[in-house]
Amino acid sequence: MPQLRIALAQVNPVVGDLPGNAALVVARTREAVASGAHLVAFPEMVLTGYPIEDLALRRSFQQASIAALEQLAATLQREGLGDAAVVVGYLDVRDALVRAGTGGVPDAAATPAMAEPAVRAERDARTAPAPDPLGTPRGAPVNAAAVLHAGQVVARYAKHHLPNYGVFDEFRYFVAGTRPCVVRLHGVDVALLICEDLWQDGPTAQVRELGAGLALVINGSPYELHKDDSRLELAARRAVEAGATLAYVNMVGGQDELVFDGDSLVVGPDGSLLARAPQFAEHLLVLDLDLPEGRSPVAAVISAAPLPGYAPMPRAAIEPRLVDEAEMYAALVVGLRDYVRKNGFRSVTFGFSGGIDSALVAALAADAIGGANVHGLSMPSRYSSQHSQDDAFDLARRLGAPCRSIPIAPMFDAYMAALHLTGLAEENLQARIRGTTVMAVSNQEGHLVLAPGNKSELSVGYSTIYGDAVGGFGPIKDVPKTWVYRLARWRNAEAQRRGEEPPIPPGSIDKAPSAELRPGQQDTDSLPEYDVLDDILDDYVEHDLGATELVAQGFDGALVEQVLRMTDLAEYKRRQYPIGTKITMRSFGRDRRQPITNRWRETAAGTD
Amino acid sequence: MPQLRIALAQVNPVVGDLPGNAALVVARTREAVASGAHLVAFPEMVLTGYPIEDLALRRSFQQASIAALEQLAATLQREGLGDAAVVVGYLDVRDALVRAGTGGVPDAAATPAMAEPAVRAERDARTAPAPDPLGTPRGAPVNAAAVLHAGQVVARYAKHHLPNYGVFDEFRYFVAGTRPCVVRLHGVDVALLICEDLWQDGPTAQVRELGAGLALVINGSPYELHKDDSRLELAARRAVEAGATLAYVNMVGGQDELVFDGDSLVVGPDGSLLARAPQFAEHLLVLDLDLPEGRSPVAAVISAAPLPGYAPMPRAAIEPRLVDEAEMYAALVVGLRDYVRKNGFRSVTFGFSGGIDSALVAALAADAIGGANVHGLSMPSRYSSQHSQDDAFDLARRLGAPCRSIPIAPMFDAYMAALHLTGLAEENLQARIRGTTVMAVSNQEGHLVLAPGNKSELSVGYSTIYGDAVGGFGPIKDVPKTWVYRLARWRNAEAQRRGEEPPIPPGSIDKAPSAELRPGQQDTDSLPEYDVLDDILDDYVEHDLGATELVAQGFDGALVEQVLRMTDLAEYKRRQYPIGTKITMRSFGRDRRQPITNRWRETAAGTD
């Protein structure tokens, strides 16, 4: 059987940074070639970053992506890396693909996969991307993969299956391809697939029909808790279906609300796991494969002859999976670190209240960018307990974070003299003075502001808009309160396991949660216990169940109606909340789109 | 030729209010029947309101919509309105349609259009709605229309063409139908279409093939400047294509960022305009039509015999179109009024700065909900000019709006003593003290807060997040600054034409725009002249042109790069800005989706 050494480059591109991402490809290809790899694969849209959202529709960016791809092929050749076949994802447009397919690329006649447009010419009107109401002509964007070799683009593939659910809007952006893409490299037929192509029926069956020996899937597959489990199961099933070895390379790193977990892997034609990269870290996964000799009639031939036999590398590692808490914590660290770094910040600031939420955010931030870059602000009012202030400074000490105290009484008194507020207005005022103070420090010193709110309070609106909700990024906005505790305890235990001081003060974990905006206030004055609340919210927010279904599960009807009503009414606050890392199946981001003006109220009595 | 009296009910439903919307249908049907109408048509998804966004995916809401439809049919019959055929849009699910088509409805055998599922059974995986990653089974939602008669649902239609561009995400929500729906009423064949079906090629050609005499299009077509022109042109062209009279009924009113302009109309088979309803007002457009006798083999027959001849009503009115300024102003008033009203508010508050933006917003608010419900707040600082404070109170007097002065110096001094701010941080502090003050008044007194920012400043980030950007709704967030002046001048001229006092103080219109956050500050210190800025922004934001294309149009390269860079960098602020009425082709809402983390910068030198 022919041999092939493949390298899966689990890298972290930046949206819009075409030169930087191309440099990343060159650097990792150099590393792969130094390891003797013949085929190097990069993630979906690695050249542009992913997801690029409406940038896909801008002609200047489309042209820049196409130009950057051609330039990348030339650079790889110039750098002496042209012998390797390099697979990269990028943004193309249908017109350019058609041009390329009808003569724009050498050896078109010898490469049947390219002799016709890679996307269907007769686009259904329903799948047309964004018709411009003013009739401006516009090319149809394509989520594409290219095979680069010897300074040329030798094959192109257009993603067949476009996800348009959850966080994905790919029908908005792309036209779908219909043609397979197979390249023959050292006698082995390699079929390209892109991400959703693996999740839908069809493409892997086609790989079997084409008789390809390797299905190479490039991905931009965002993290969700437990997704690694379903991913492995899927890859194994599809490999068996394809009757081929399946190599899966995924992106790593954060992009706005998404974080990509890597978890690249290779599965044999029998579904057995051959190699697996770590989660949440850049990695080059190199391994040797014995693959059947290719005989596909549609293959674009790079090199027909198998390589002379060589001694394979030692068996590649199968990295163990992280436990749930470690996985989620790593996702939050990477999501935060990349938002900070990719947006040009070096430091963060926010209120250290002494509570569990800000303590967890501080620990995450210290792990992401170093404790010295986390600027804590203790902003006590007359209702702040001494133990909370002590916990805030204890937290700072544990993290090596600078922390200062800015009492808000003078500002509070100035407002109260002018406004004479009572009740909720007075409580919110305190939170907003803190919000203004944090923003002032940010403006003066250049730190990114973090919003420390969790998913439970964001759900029911238990936060003050323009108060504790200020910030450029909300690191734990998708973390339910019960998970905030789990993560805090896990992080402290992890520190103890390593012989380090736990970062989170025990007092912040153990005391009853309180916003401390009036004397003796506790969260349970307004909300049910968090374990009950989170159960209801999981059903309602993540699984979209109605009140009747919740009651059928044993929840109290009045409580269900109250929680769902609070959640619906808080939609306007969530819409103005900073973005933050998605870690559940449905976060308060692109994946949950509710109207603000909405008179529908779930009632436990049922709907008829 | 058979006669038919039709009524197009241009109504204003509320998203999620199934009982309220059903009551609206009953009331307008009663009115139509009193006018002798045989066929009464309501807009797309009138029963649920539109757009319902992710509510479409919730099973409890789907079931409630289906139940409400059945109940509506029964109610109409019980109220003695069962003789009229009533066409309503609603949310259905594919499973229910299949059940209804295979026996759930009387006379299924006699109504071929219903004998098979109205949507295709073999759904392409690419068009599948939101597959649930956890495999939860879920019905496929349908954007549907039903014909109600004699207490029954006698026909159902599923929208064929699903828009998935601009503000629309209908591939996320719905499966498309493929079967036509024709009902025979008093001997006339009426073919149903829904909104986008008219904008795409195919459906009207099918109407001709089916030989229907009337194409009835129910719509939820959002307003954009100049859309009424393209709508009439399209309707005329499609009527000629169909060889049939075309009746177009549209929704009116505001729903979050969208406003529907009504503009319902009827066009003859020769493309001539027969009747047109007013813009931005509820209306029942009743008219008599002479239509060919129906012979379509697929018609569901309600009544085969033509009516005995009767004397037709006088020719229906063709309401004149509004001039651009009047149209945009009306859209903003309706969008604001409905956000206030549908969310249960009665009054609004915001800062009266004396500037043009807050003056226009105040005039809009006074026209929407009455000047007495507009609570102005003058919040002078040491940099506020006397003439600005005078203009603020003059504005309030002209509108009959209560206005109070809350000097911010005491709060400002308290913060400065604690924080020692300079430069931009000091400027932003003033804006944020005002934001906190407005929110405090809102919390204490229950007014909705309006954010008075315009599109030009929102584009380039010339605003303070959590400062002047606070609010639940931004009435002019999609209005470029040059149009702010046009609207203000138009509104004042309109008042003079009516013999009323102009609402906007001339001083607010005539003085050079300034944020008054430092001595002598003017907008032009940081920004180009607004006419130049708005020209660039129109090309960049609305038309997605790149820097090279802008320079080719004659703009200065350095200026273009600066404006585009400012626009890109302000994305994080826009993401947290309140929603507001869309009036242009591309607003900062659902229709413009840009990444925040984005290193792509347009350069005038070109992209290669």
Side-chain angles (χ1 to χ4, degrees), chain A residues 60 166 171-172 256 597 602, chain B residues 60 126 166 171-172 256 597 602:
Chain A
S60 61
F171 266 109
R172 178 181 175 88
D256 285 354
T597 303
E602 291 284 342
Chain B
S60 60
R126 288 175 307 101
F171 266 110
R172 177 182 177 86
D256 285 354
T597 302
E602 292 284 342

Side-chain angles (χ1 to χ4, degrees), chain A residues 15 54 58 60 126 166 171-172 256 343 422 428 432 443-444 466 471 540 576 593 596-597 599 602, chain B residues 15 54 58 60 126 166 171-172 256 343 422 428 443-444 466 471 540 576 593 596-597 599 602:
Chain A
V15 160
D54 278 8
R58 195 182 302 167
S60 61
R126 287 175 307 103
F171 266 109
R172 178 181 175 88
D256 285 354
N343 284 289
T422 56
N428 283 334
R432 293 202 178 103
N443 284 169
Q444 190 71 27
Y466 321 129
Y540 185 54
Q576 294 187 40
R593 306 180 191 175
I596 295 175
T597 303
R599 292 206 183 143
E602 291 284 342
Chain B
V15 160
D54 277 8
R58 194 181 302 167
S60 60
R126 288 175 307 101
F171 266 110
R172 177 182 177 86
D256 285 354
N343 284 288
T422 56
N428 283 334
N443 284 168
Q444 191 71 27
Y466 319 129
Y540 186 55
Q576 294 187 39
R593 305 179 192 177
I596 295 176
T597 302
R599 292 207 183 140
E602 292 284 342

Side-chain angles (χ1 to χ4, degrees), chain B residues 145-367:
Chain B
V147 184
L148 311 181
H149 182 261
Q152 303 289 330
V153 179
V154 297
R156 297 175 200 250
Y157 175 76
K159 190 175 185 178
H160 285 195
H161 292 281
L162 303 173
N164 203 67
Y165 53 84
V167 298
F168 303 108
D169 286 311
E170 294 208 355
F171 266 110
R172 177 182 177 86
Y173 300 122
F174 304 119
V175 287
T178 55
R179 299 192 160 273
C181 177
V182 180
V183 292
R184 184 165 303 155
L185 180 66
H186 299 308
V188 174
D189 281 358
V190 180
L192 294 192
L193 298 176
I194 303 179
C195 207
E196 186 79 4
D197 293 338
L198 190 70
W199 295 81
Q200 302 291 337
D201 288 332
T204 38
Q206 193 174 36
V207 170
R208 176 183 285 273
E209 285 163 31
L210 294 169
L214 177 66
L216 176 59
V217 194
I218 68 171
N219 300 273
S221 175
Y223 172 73
E224 285 169 8
L225 186 61
H226 303 312
K227 197 174 190 179
D228 53 336
D229 303 330
S230 50
R231 183 182 286 145
L232 174 59
E233 191 187 9
L234 176 76
R237 183 158 60 82
R238 294 300 190 195
V240 170
E241 231 174 71
T245 298
L246 190 150
Y248 178 105
V249 58
N250 192 21
M251 198 169 275
V252 71
Q255 166 60 30
D256 285 354
E257 68 188 53
L258 301 184
V259 61
F260 299 90
D261 54 336
D263 191 29
S264 301
L265 50 86
V266 181
V267 175
D270 60 348
S272 60
L273 181 62
L274 302 179
R276 196 165 194 179
Q279 293 167 281
F280 302 107
E282 289 199 288
H283 189 75
L284 189 73
L285 183 64
V286 185
L287 76 166
D288 276 301
L289 294 170
D290 295 318
L291 296 164
E293 193 159 350
R295 305 189 187 285
S296 171
V298 303
V301 178
I302 296 173
S303 44
L307 291 162
Y310 63 83
M313 297 173 68
R315 202 179 162 89
I318 296 179
E319 295 283 342
R321 296 305 89 187
L322 301 171
V323 299
D324 286 352
E325 288 85 353
E327 185 180 292
M328 195 184 288
Y329 194 91
L332 298 172
V333 168
V334 170
L336 172 57
R337 184 199 67 204
D338 277 6
Y339 188 84
V340 172
R341 191 173 60 84
K342 293 180 178 179
N343 284 288
F345 290 96
R346 293 166 182 277
S347 53
V348 299
T349 190
F350 55 101
F352 280 23
S353 72
I356 183 77
D357 296 323
S358 57
L360 177 62
V361 169
L364 288 164
D367 286 337

Side-chain angles (χ1 to χ4, degrees), chain A residues 324-357:
Chain A
D324 286 354
E325 288 84 354
E327 185 181 292
M328 196 186 285
Y329 194 91
L332 298 173
V333 167
V334 170
L336 173 56
R337 183 199 69 204
D338 278 6
Y339 188 86
V340 171
R341 192 174 59 85
K342 293 180 178 180
N343 284 289
F345 290 95
R346 293 165 183 279
S347 54
V348 299
T349 190
F350 56 101
F352 280 22
S353 71
I356 182 76
D357 295 324

